[in-house]
Amino acid sequence: MKKLSKLSIVGYGAGDAANNLAFTTATMFLLVYYTDVAGISAAAAGTLLLVVRIFDAFADVFAGRMVDRTFSKRFGKFRPFIMFGSIPLLLLSVATFSVPQLGESGTLLYAYVTYAALGLAYSLVNIPYGSLAGAMTQEPGERAKLGSARMVGGLLVGSALGIFVAPLIKPGADLQGTFTTITLVFVAIGAALYFFTVLTAKERVHRAVPNVSVKQSMETLKGNKPLLMLCISSFFFLSGYLALTSVQLYYLRDVLGRLDLYPVLSIIQLVFTFVLAAFMPRLVRAIGKKRVYIYSSLLTVIGGAIIFLTPASQVWIGFSGLVISLVGVLAVNIVVWALEADTVEYGEWRTGVRTEGITYALFSFTRKTGQAVGGALAAYALALGGYKSGAVQTADAVFGIQLAAGAIPAVLTILAVLVMSKYKLTDAMHAEILAEIRARRVDGEKTQDGASGSDPSGASPSGADPLAADPSAAKPSGAAEATPAAKPLAATSN
């Protein structure tokens, strides 16, 4: 397959920059906004984050089905959702950070409704966006480039928030005015970025079945063990990462007493983002995506241990733990999207039907539940320590923050590594799967060309998988009832 143009890679990265104008703003500042501006208690905010993010996870599955059953001849399966869903998403971000004072119950209800609506809108844009990468290319190196571009786009936004916004989150400031201004500006910037993605990032992967039925979606997911393992590992990893992200500002401000280091941390992250983005395709080719994921996760474990064990007086040791942990996160966030795209081909290999939407939705479902658990654990750790907004924190409150920023991410990331060590879809196996899919596709096209009255689109009149007409082709050699010749493929190690 022809290599992706630089413009299409940059365009894809721009989409995640737009996504993170809503997503990263929420993960970095929403807990602080709820506790310090809206006046919601830490415990109530933790429950809110848990409930709404679990709702978001189910919204991802709904969005995945919407994607799989939709197809536009002009724009494909994914870009229409980005085109028409982006503006509502960005406007809901403004509403989420504009909680009125309606009494304790009214304020909490408004927060629940607006954050849930934001999550649903985000799912209807992000699921198609994430699925788009698998439809742009099937080459591992090119997918690594897309993963790098995605991470760069997201981290540019995250770094800008850390450099320019985080230092403003201090006692006595007009935080409501700050968040209102920022989110309104993001509406204009985000809309421009999303439409740049729509114009430049296009689908190029052959699709035998444009509109996928529910039965076909479920059949593709059933038995996709690599996807299941990746989902479970990502659940643990994201739980730890969101715990850290949710209290990162608290750790710098209330434990180390150095909120001024937040911009420094953001600049360091930005530098490492570009370094990793440049070297990741070569690193993937050298040691494989699975090993990159595991080794990077172990860096996060080391960083978390340093954060948890370092006394508050040792500012630079604690700060170095934060840097080490986040470098590991950056590397995982590059490679994980390429791993998810590989599982799409695994499902197609088993069933003959390509279902990017529901595959990405299931992956995103587990990531969203991880985010829900991680954000809630962070808030509950604050409540356990007795965190008080605008006050000098007690030793118990400092311990609660260190628990959320260090110990919880380290323990959960260890669990993620243990699960990922059992992951079998190596790069070598994926290459063989791709070769078999392409060979089947060529055989199917020859068969259709020779058949009278065949549908030139490649799909049967009923919309079923055209490979299903041939029983031997409909059941790939790597399925559960594998032939002896297919077994060595599944045993391939990275």
Side-chain angles (χ1 to χ4, degrees):
M1 180 174 285
K2 185 180 177 182
K3 287 189 175 183
L4 296 170
S5 69
K6 291 182 180 179
L7 185 64
S8 64
I9 294 171
V10 172
Y12 185 74
D16 208 47
N19 280 341
N20 280 278
L21 292 173
F23 178 78
T24 303
T25 302
T27 56
M28 286 176 66
F29 300 124
L30 195 56
L31 180 57
V32 174
Y33 176 80
Y34 282 154
T35 59
D36 292 13
V37 181
I40 299 172
S41 70
T47 302
L48 188 160
L49 295 177
L50 178 65
V51 171
V52 173
R53 285 173 178 168
I54 289 176
F55 165 79
D56 289 350
F58 285 97
D60 282 353
V61 177
F62 167 74
R65 274 302 307 146
M66 290 289 290
V67 170
D68 277 343
R69 62 183 294 183
T70 303
F71 184 78
S72 164
K73 289 184 178 180
R74 183 176 181 184
F75 294 108
K77 291 185 75 69
F78 310 117
R79 291 185 294 159
F81 289 92
I82 300 172
M83 289 174 62
F84 298 112
S86 55
I87 302 300
L89 166 63
L90 295 165
L91 291 175
L92 281 166
S93 183
V94 179
T96 300
F97 281 93
S98 301
V99 178
Q101 293 303 312
L102 302 172
E104 184 177 349
S105 298
T107 296
L108 198 57
L109 178 61
Y110 178 92
Y112 267 96
V113 171
T114 52
Y115 192 33
L118 176 68
L120 177 59
Y122 183 75
S123 294
L124 289 169
V125 172
N126 185 57
I127 294 299
Y129 169 77
S131 304
L132 181 59
M136 289 175 68
T137 180
Q138 292 178 308
E139 299 299 328
E142 296 299 291
R143 282 183 174 170
K145 290 178 184 178
L146 291 176
S148 296
R150 178 173 188 164
M151 191 190 70
V152 168
L155 261 295
L156 282 172
V157 171
S159 298
L161 291 171
I163 293 169
F164 301 112
V165 179
L168 303 176
I169 314 301
K170 53 189 178 183
D174 178 17
L175 298 183
Q176 182 60 72
T178 297
F179 283 115
T180 299
T181 301
I182 289 168
T183 51
L184 284 172
V185 170
F186 285 174
V187 172
I189 297 173
L193 290 171
Y194 275 128
F195 279 89
F196 179 52
T197 299
V198 168
L199 293 173
T200 57
K202 299 182 180 180
E203 301 169 38
R204 305 190 306 160
V205 175
H206 172 82
R207 185 180 308 283
V209 184
N211 300 298
V212 182
S213 68
V214 174
K215 181 179 179 181
Q216 288 170 324
S217 292
M218 295 303 104
E219 189 65 29
T220 305
L221 294 181
K222 187 174 66 176
N224 194 331
K225 189 175 180 181
L227 175 62
L228 176 63
M229 301 298 287
L230 185 62
C231 285
I232 295 172
S233 181
S234 291
F235 169 81
F236 288 125
F237 186 85
L238 262 292
S239 295
Y241 172 41
L242 259 291
L244 170 60
T245 303
S246 297
V247 298
Q248 190 170 278
L249 187 144
Y250 295 90
Y251 180 70
L252 289 169
R253 185 186 66 186
D254 300 315
V255 177
L256 301 184
R258 294 293 303 271
L259 183 58
D260 60 303
L261 288 178
Y262 209 123
V264 177
L265 180 65
S266 297
I267 293 170
I268 291 172
Q269 284 182 262
L270 192 59
V271 171
F272 274 108
T273 297
F274 284 106
V275 171
L276 289 171
F279 285 98
M280 190 57 70
R282 277 178 278 181
L283 191 60
V284 165
R285 286 192 292 267
I287 66 174
K289 294 187 284 291
K290 174 183 173 179
R291 287 196 177 107
V292 171
Y293 183 103
I294 290 175
Y295 297 157
S296 301
S297 297
L298 292 176
L299 275 180
T300 300
V301 174
I302 294 169
I306 293 172
I307 292 169
F308 180 63
L309 297 174
T310 300
S313 59
Q314 302 298 316
V315 174
W316 292 108
I317 296 176
F319 184 73
S320 68
L322 201 55
V323 171
I324 291 169
S325 185
L326 291 173
V327 168
V329 168
L330 294 178
V332 170
N333 281 343
I334 290 179
V335 77
V336 73
W337 303 111
L339 286 165
E340 184 276 333
D342 290 352
T343 66
V344 173
E345 269 90 47
Y346 185 87
E348 182 182 4
W349 177 60
R350 287 179 57 86
T351 66
V353 180
R354 188 175 183 84
T355 55
E356 294 102 334
I358 197 65
T359 302
Y360 186 87
L362 180 62
F363 180 58
S364 187
F365 174 89
T366 55
R367 288 174 65 85
K368 285 283 185 68
T369 53
Q371 291 163 12
V373 170
L377 287 175
Y380 293 150
L382 293 182
L384 180 67
Y387 170 80
K388 301 290 185 183
S389 174
V392 176
Q393 304 306 320
T394 65
D396 287 342
V398 168
F399 175 79
I401 295 170
Q402 287 183 292
L403 183 70
I408 291 174
V411 170
L412 291 173
T413 304
I414 288 171
L415 295 176
V417 169
L418 291 175
V419 173
M420 198 63 184
S421 66
K422 305 297 183 183
Y423 185 80
K424 300 298 184 184
L425 183 54
T426 62
D427 291 356
M429 180 180 179
H430 179 251
E432 295 191 39
I433 285 173
L434 276 183
E436 186 171 331
I437 289 172
R438 288 165 180 163
R440 273 193 238 142
R441 190 172 296 152
V442 170
D443 290 343
E445 289 172 353
K446 289 179 180 178
T447 301
Q448 289 172 4
D449 289 342
S452 60
S454 62
D455 181 357
S457 67
S460 65
S462 64
D465 173 17
L467 295 176
D470 177 0
S472 65
K475 185 170 290 185
S477 61
E481 301 83 354
T483 62
K487 290 180 181 177
L489 176 61
T492 303
S493 61
N494 192 10

